[in-house]
Amino acid sequence: MSICDLLDALAGTDTSLIPVAKLVRELNSTSAMEMGGLDYDTIISAYEKINRDFFYTVGEKHALVILSHAVHDMSSEDLILRQSGYRSLLSFVEFSGEILDRELVSDDQCWSEVWIDLLREMVLKLAKVSSLKSFRALCSDDAEQDFFNNIIHLQVIITNKVFVPFFFNMLLEIQDGKAEHVRSACLEALASICGNMEWKSYYGFLMRCFREITLKSVKQKVLLRLICTVLDHFHFMETHPSQEVGDSIADVSKSGTIGMVTSTVFRTCSSSAEVSEIHACLRKNVFPRIQKLLVSDSNNVNVNISLVALKLLKLLPSDVMESQLPSIVHRISNFLKNRLESIRDEARVALAACLKELGLEYLQFIVKVLRATLKRGYELHVLGYTLNFILAKCLVHPVSGKLDYCLGELLSVVENDILGDISEQKEVEKIASKMKETRKLKSFETLKLIAQNITFRTQAWKLLSPVTARLQKHLTPKVKSKLESMLNNIAAGIECNPSVNQTDLFVFLHDLIITYETRNNGGSSVASASKQPGDVSIRKIITSGRLIDSGSQSSHLITVFALGLLQNCMKDSKLHKKDELLAKLNPFVSLLTECLTSKYEDIISAALKCLVPLVRLPLPSLESQADKIKTSLLVIAQGSMNTSSPLMQSCLRLLKVLLRNTRITLSTDQLHLVIQFPLFIDLERNPSIVALLLLKAIVTRKLVVHEIYDLVSRVAELMVTSQVEPIRKKCSQILLQFLLDYRLSKKRLQQHLYFLLSNLRQGYNNHLHNILSL
């Protein structure tokens, strides 16, 4: 009986064998046309079924039958069978790799030892396999000499006896300031080896490091770095917060402790005795040595000692952390009182390193310690500078929500540094030049960092509280300038905040404009504008906090802030005509229209800039607000004599857009008014690109009034007299458009042609190109 017949018989009693029996019969198919020949088409088709996914569908014993057949065909003289068998085995290797990645990875990686041992046996037993011959030299009857055995038991046999002493001695022999790359490699190698040691070996190596510090004090710095890296590879237990951040942070008590509870999960320790032994060794033997180093070096900050202490505290129970952490942070903070700048700099580096090690969950605790330590005089300057330094080091990339729980504490420090009595000292030259901390006000940058890392949806209103609270008081020009800088930095931070989404930002800005522009305009126009149909969708509250009602004359700063943020948002976003976006932007049209009647020039200018991209979109509110927008624009343009002012430039840009717009356009009478603007009367003496762009748009509209003919003649003069190339080029374009589109009398046409020819004869190189282009 053949194998195929046997499998068919077994499949009669075990239905799971039916697919295997059928596949094996196909793999052994014979040709119906040739006596004793093989049916290669059927065989190849059967082999194509044996792919990586096939092995997921069959059991282990069934797969062995198929693999045995593939191995058999690998030794066939027939090339087709050899190649087919090879591809099937290769599919099994891919399948095995996926299984190993998914299931065989464990903390101690014991599976790797089995595979290494299997490889060794294959090298010894399959001596005739050419691909394994090169590995034969790695095998030995002596376990000490056998490569595979050493790989499996590396940390026991080789590492402790050879590599650890070798790298350790090399580390100590490197001279300070030299071969830093070798030193770093030694540190990484030793730490990696320690990450695979058993507890007793690991503990012994730690104690050896402390003994070397006592014997070789000059090598203390590098040995402390080594201890830090070794503690980073502590693999016997792992710590993690037992609560969410928002629930786990408690206020610092009077004694200075923090309520951050951590729990310890032991990975390699299986018995309570081993757990107790590790804790006892760390608490009774290792930590006292660190405390001794802190006491013996009390006159120096020594960042590495503090880091070692924190790394070890994280491995100990939470009660030890609560009792010991305050003393370490207080010790570092006290160095910030030192008059030496170098000492203060080192203390800041130490605090930043500690916060990185502990995590931002401990930021509030550190800030409270700093505020309790730095309370008077120059110390307050140091406080604001230090907070900025710490945040800048720990918030390299924006992480939304990490500062929410301590936002009030941070804003209090920033507000006092910028707006408090201490801020006035920075403006006194003699005081400002004494210390690095007084030369530049870093709290503006701190405010930007805070704005980048809060949860925008819930904290945006609170973020503005230092500014809105100050608006209640009388403002001097200096204070007003500081408030503007604060708002600018808040806006810059919001624009980089990853938690900001378009909907929340539009809702926030809409509510902000209504709240403050209502105050500025007497509480009528903007409030009524916000009640128009279509605005209801955006009038929702996204936070529980509200802005303080402000009657200050400088409350318009908030409106300018909101409009600037809106403009930047539209500039950075790709405005499209999707209904969802149009619904968000539509309510702003009425608000911006009312802002054009504000008594503050910066509000009007900002509103004009925001309207420029909006009037290009098919927003429903534009139709109802079109007349108001056009009227406001004409009033603004006629009343401004300074064509170079930001307000006038913004007004002209919007007019230019309206002239090209098909839905909102200016009437002939309105265009006639535009031609009489002061900027066109003074065009020869004070030409501007914006004015010429506006004139070109008017000429394109083919406005026929007598002023346009005279104005074009002056443009022609400007084309040959201006020394500015962009001005000459734009004048040339306007003149060409006029000559092509307008009906001209024979006399007027001859005048223009004579003017061009006469200037060609003069041969000014700068003007020839523009004239010839006509």
Side-chain angles (χ1 to χ4, degrees):
M1 180 181 290
S2 68
I3 296 294
C4 296
D5 295 333
L6 177 61
L7 287 174
D8 288 338
L10 292 173
T13 57
D14 185 356
T15 56
S16 65
L17 278 172
I18 294 176
V20 178
K22 181 179 178 182
L23 185 59
V24 171
R25 185 166 289 281
E26 291 175 353
L27 291 172
N28 291 276
S29 297
T30 56
S31 175
M33 306 295 295
E34 183 180 350
M35 182 69 69
L38 297 176
D39 185 354
Y40 287 105
D41 291 339
T42 304
I43 293 174
I44 292 173
S45 177
Y47 265 119
E48 287 177 352
K49 298 177 183 178
I50 308 173
N51 52 28
R52 180 187 58 189
D53 296 332
F54 167 79
F55 293 102
Y56 284 102
T57 63
V58 298
E60 179 180 347
K61 294 181 179 180
H62 299 168
L64 286 174
V65 175
I66 305 299
L67 290 172
S68 299
H69 194 280
V71 171
H72 177 268
D73 282 350
M74 281 279 286
S75 60
S76 173
E77 296 180 357
D78 195 317
L79 178 61
I80 294 177
L81 296 181
R82 290 203 307 272
Q83 291 293 331
S84 299
Y86 165 76
R87 285 193 293 270
S88 297
L89 292 174
L90 188 60
S91 297
F92 177 72
V93 171
E94 293 178 3
F95 162 77
S96 301
E98 291 184 0
I99 295 299
L100 289 175
D101 288 340
R102 294 178 184 179
E103 300 178 1
L104 298 182
V105 176
S106 60
D107 290 336
D108 55 3
Q109 296 187 345
C110 293
W111 61 270
S112 62
E113 299 179 4
V114 178
W115 284 96
I116 292 173
D117 191 52
L118 178 61
L119 178 60
R120 181 179 183 275
E121 293 299 317
M122 290 172 63
V123 171
L124 293 174
K125 302 294 175 61
L126 304 177
K128 293 183 179 181
V129 178
S130 58
S131 60
L132 297 176
K133 285 183 180 180
S134 58
F135 294 99
R136 187 65 182 82
L138 301 177
C139 300
S140 175
D141 294 334
D142 186 354
E144 292 285 344
Q145 301 296 323
D146 188 274
F147 170 81
F148 296 101
N149 188 64
N150 287 333
I151 287 294
I152 295 173
H153 306 288
L154 180 63
Q155 70 274 22
V156 179
I157 299 176
I158 298 296
T159 307
N160 291 342
K161 293 183 178 180
V162 179
F163 290 148
V164 170
F166 174 73
F167 288 127
F168 194 83
N169 292 332
M170 182 184 295
L171 181 66
L172 296 181
E173 289 172 2
I174 299 173
Q175 296 181 8
D176 293 340
K178 295 183 179 180
E180 180 60 32
H181 62 290
V182 178
R183 182 182 291 107
S184 298
C186 289
L187 290 171
E188 292 176 6
L190 287 169
S192 179
I193 293 170
C194 290
N196 291 280
M197 287 181 177
E198 295 180 357
W199 164 246
K200 290 185 178 179
S201 301
Y202 182 94
Y203 171 67
F205 183 77
L206 268 182
M207 299 307 293
R208 179 184 177 183
C209 291
F210 283 108
R211 287 195 300 271
E212 291 292 336
I213 290 176
T214 304
L215 298 173
K216 301 176 182 178
S217 58
V218 293
K219 296 293 182 180
Q220 183 189 85
K221 185 176 181 179
V222 69
L223 287 168
L224 287 172
R225 282 180 61 188
L226 176 59
I227 294 173
C228 282
T229 55
V230 169
L231 288 175
D232 286 336
H233 286 73
F234 188 89
H235 54 289
F236 306 100
M237 57 187 179
E238 57 185 5
T239 59
H240 57 80
S242 60
Q243 301 175 348
E244 294 295 330
V245 171
D247 299 329
S248 62
I249 300 294
D251 290 336
V252 178
S253 64
K254 294 181 180 179
S255 61
T257 59
I258 185 170
M260 179 66 184
V261 181
T262 58
S263 61
T264 302
V265 178
F266 284 81
R267 296 192 297 180
T268 58
C269 300
S270 57
S271 65
S272 59
E274 290 173 315
V275 173
S276 301
E277 179 187 355
I278 290 179
H279 268 158
C281 290
L282 293 177
R283 178 185 287 187
K284 296 179 180 178
N285 298 328
V286 181
F287 190 68
R289 290 178 179 269
I290 298 174
Q291 289 178 310
K292 185 178 179 181
L293 289 174
L294 287 170
V295 173
S296 63
D297 201 19
S298 58
N299 295 326
N300 298 308
V301 180
N302 205 321
V303 179
N304 290 321
I305 295 179
S306 302
L307 272 180
V308 169
L310 291 180
K311 288 179 184 294
L312 188 59
L313 285 176
K314 289 173 65 177
L315 302 176
L316 293 173
S318 58
D319 59 328
V320 181
M321 169 72 88
E322 291 178 13
S323 63
Q324 298 297 331
L325 179 60
S327 62
I328 296 174
V329 178
H330 274 288
R331 175 184 178 275
I332 300 173
S333 301
N334 285 329
F335 283 106
L336 292 170
K337 296 181 178 181
N338 199 295
R339 290 285 182 175
L340 287 176
E341 185 177 297
S342 59
I343 298 295
R344 298 197 302 272
D345 287 343
E346 192 175 357
R348 276 188 281 268
V349 171
L351 281 175
C354 290
L355 184 59
K356 283 184 179 180
E357 182 64 33
L358 294 169
L360 287 170
E361 294 82 4
Y362 283 84
L363 176 61
Q364 185 180 46
F365 166 70
I366 291 177
V367 172
K368 287 191 174 185
V369 172
L370 288 173
R371 296 187 72 183
T373 305
L374 307 170
K375 296 182 291 187
R376 59 182 66 86
Y378 75 93
E379 297 173 1
L380 294 173
H381 296 292
V382 176
L383 174 61
Y385 190 95
T386 301
L387 178 60
N388 173 263
F389 182 89
I390 293 173
L391 292 180
K393 293 295 183 183
C394 296
L395 297 173
V396 179
H397 303 290
V399 183
S400 60
K402 287 292 186 178
L403 304 184
D404 291 358
Y405 78 98
C406 61
L407 179 58
E409 199 81 29
L410 299 176
L411 291 177
S412 180
V413 175
V414 169
E415 182 179 7
N416 186 55
D417 194 40
I418 297 176
L419 302 173
D421 296 336
I422 195 69
S423 65
E424 297 179 3
Q425 296 181 9
K426 291 184 173 68
E427 299 168 8
V428 180
E429 186 176 351
K430 290 184 178 180
I431 297 177
S433 60
K434 285 184 178 180
M435 301 169 56
K436 176 167 63 176
E437 291 86 348
T438 56
R439 290 181 200 132
K440 185 178 180 181
L441 192 56
K442 288 284 189 176
S443 287
F444 289 121
E445 298 173 16
T446 304
L447 202 54
K448 179 181 177 181
L449 286 170
I450 294 172
Q452 286 178 348
N453 294 278
I454 60 166
T455 302
F456 176 79
R457 184 181 181 87
T458 57
Q459 304 297 326
W461 294 96
K462 188 175 182 179
L463 185 62
L464 290 175
S465 59
V467 178
T468 56
R470 185 51 63 109
L471 290 176
Q472 303 294 309
K473 304 175 183 178
H474 173 71
L475 301 182
T476 63
K478 287 183 179 179
V479 173
K480 181 181 176 183
S481 177
K482 289 180 179 180
L483 292 178
E484 289 176 337
S485 296
M486 292 174 72
L487 289 171
N488 289 337
N489 280 276
I490 290 173
I494 289 175
E495 289 170 6
C496 300
N497 190 316
S499 72
V500 176
N501 64 59
Q502 197 177 69
T503 300
D504 289 345
L505 182 60
F506 284 160
V507 170
F508 170 72
L509 296 177
H510 187 274
D511 212 12
L512 200 59
I513 294 171
I514 288 179
T515 303
Y516 270 82
E517 193 55 16
T518 299
R519 309 295 182 260
N520 297 328
N521 287 348
S524 57
S525 57
V526 176
S528 61
S530 66
K531 295 178 182 178
Q532 294 184 19
D535 293 355
V536 178
S537 62
I538 203 167
R539 295 289 299 145
K540 60 180 181 179
I541 298 174
I542 61 173
T543 69
S544 58
R546 304 297 298 167
L547 289 175
I548 302 171
D549 186 7
S550 175
S552 169
Q553 292 184 352
S554 297
S555 61
H556 71 285
L557 296 178
I558 299 292
T559 306
V560 175
F561 158 79
L563 293 173
L565 203 52
L566 175 62
Q567 181 196 0
N568 290 337
C569 177
M570 292 190 293
K571 187 187 300 181
D572 296 336
S573 304
K574 292 183 178 179
L575 297 182
H576 46 76
K577 298 181 180 180
K578 290 184 178 180
D579 293 340
E580 183 181 357
L581 178 63
L582 297 180
K584 296 175 185 176
L585 292 174
N586 188 61
F588 284 102
V589 176
S590 57
L591 284 183
L592 295 172
T593 303
E594 295 300 329
C595 285
L596 296 180
T597 62
S598 174
K599 59 183 178 181
Y600 298 103
E601 184 175 311
D602 45 2
I603 288 181
I604 299 173
S605 180
L608 289 170
K609 292 176 182 177
C610 292
L611 279 170
V612 169
L614 291 183
V615 295
R616 296 188 175 101
L617 300 173
L619 300 174
S621 293
L622 283 174
E623 296 180 8
S624 60
Q625 300 295 324
D627 291 337
K628 290 184 180 180
I629 293 173
K630 291 185 287 186
T631 302
S632 298
L633 281 176
L634 294 174
V635 171
I636 295 168
Q638 285 180 321
S640 178
M641 298 299 296
N642 184 7
T643 58
S644 61
S645 68
L647 175 62
M648 191 60 177
Q649 295 292 311
S650 301
C651 180
L652 295 178
R653 286 191 181 92
L654 183 54
L655 276 171
K656 179 172 67 71
V657 174
L658 289 180
L659 285 170
R660 296 177 179 177
N661 199 306
T662 57
R663 288 175 292 104
I664 304 176
T665 186
L666 299 178
S667 65
T668 302
D669 292 337
Q670 290 171 330
L671 286 174
H672 197 178
L673 286 174
V674 172
I675 289 296
Q676 300 172 19
F677 282 174
L679 74 134
F680 292 124
I681 297 174
D682 195 33
L683 188 62
E684 293 95 329
R685 288 183 299 173
N686 189 21
S688 71
I689 288 293
V690 177
L692 292 172
L693 286 171
L694 181 59
L695 180 57
K696 184 181 179 183
I698 294 173
V699 171
T700 304
R701 288 283 304 276
K702 300 180 182 180
L703 173 66
V704 181
V705 292
H706 70 275
E707 289 92 347
I708 197 72
Y709 291 91
D710 296 336
L711 189 55
V712 170
S713 297
R714 288 154 53 198
V715 167
E717 290 282 350
L718 188 61
M719 180 183 67
V720 296
T721 58
S722 176
Q723 300 299 314
V724 182
E725 173 61 25
I727 296 291
R728 294 197 303 270
K729 186 175 181 181
K730 192 59 63 179
C731 290
S732 173
Q733 293 171 356
I734 293 172
L735 182 57
L736 177 62
Q737 189 77 38
F738 176 78
L739 293 175
L740 293 174
D741 294 344
Y742 278 71
R743 291 174 62 92
L744 301 174
S745 65
K746 184 177 181 181
K747 180 180 179 180
R748 186 176 291 274
L749 181 59
Q750 286 178 344
Q751 288 175 347
H752 283 294
L753 293 176
Y754 177 77
F755 171 80
L756 296 174
L757 290 172
S758 63
N759 280 281
L760 276 175
R761 294 192 191 100
Q762 295 179 11
Y764 293 115
N765 292 332
N766 291 339
H767 309 145
L768 285 175
H769 177 74
N770 293 316
I771 296 174
L772 288 171
S773 65
L774 294 171

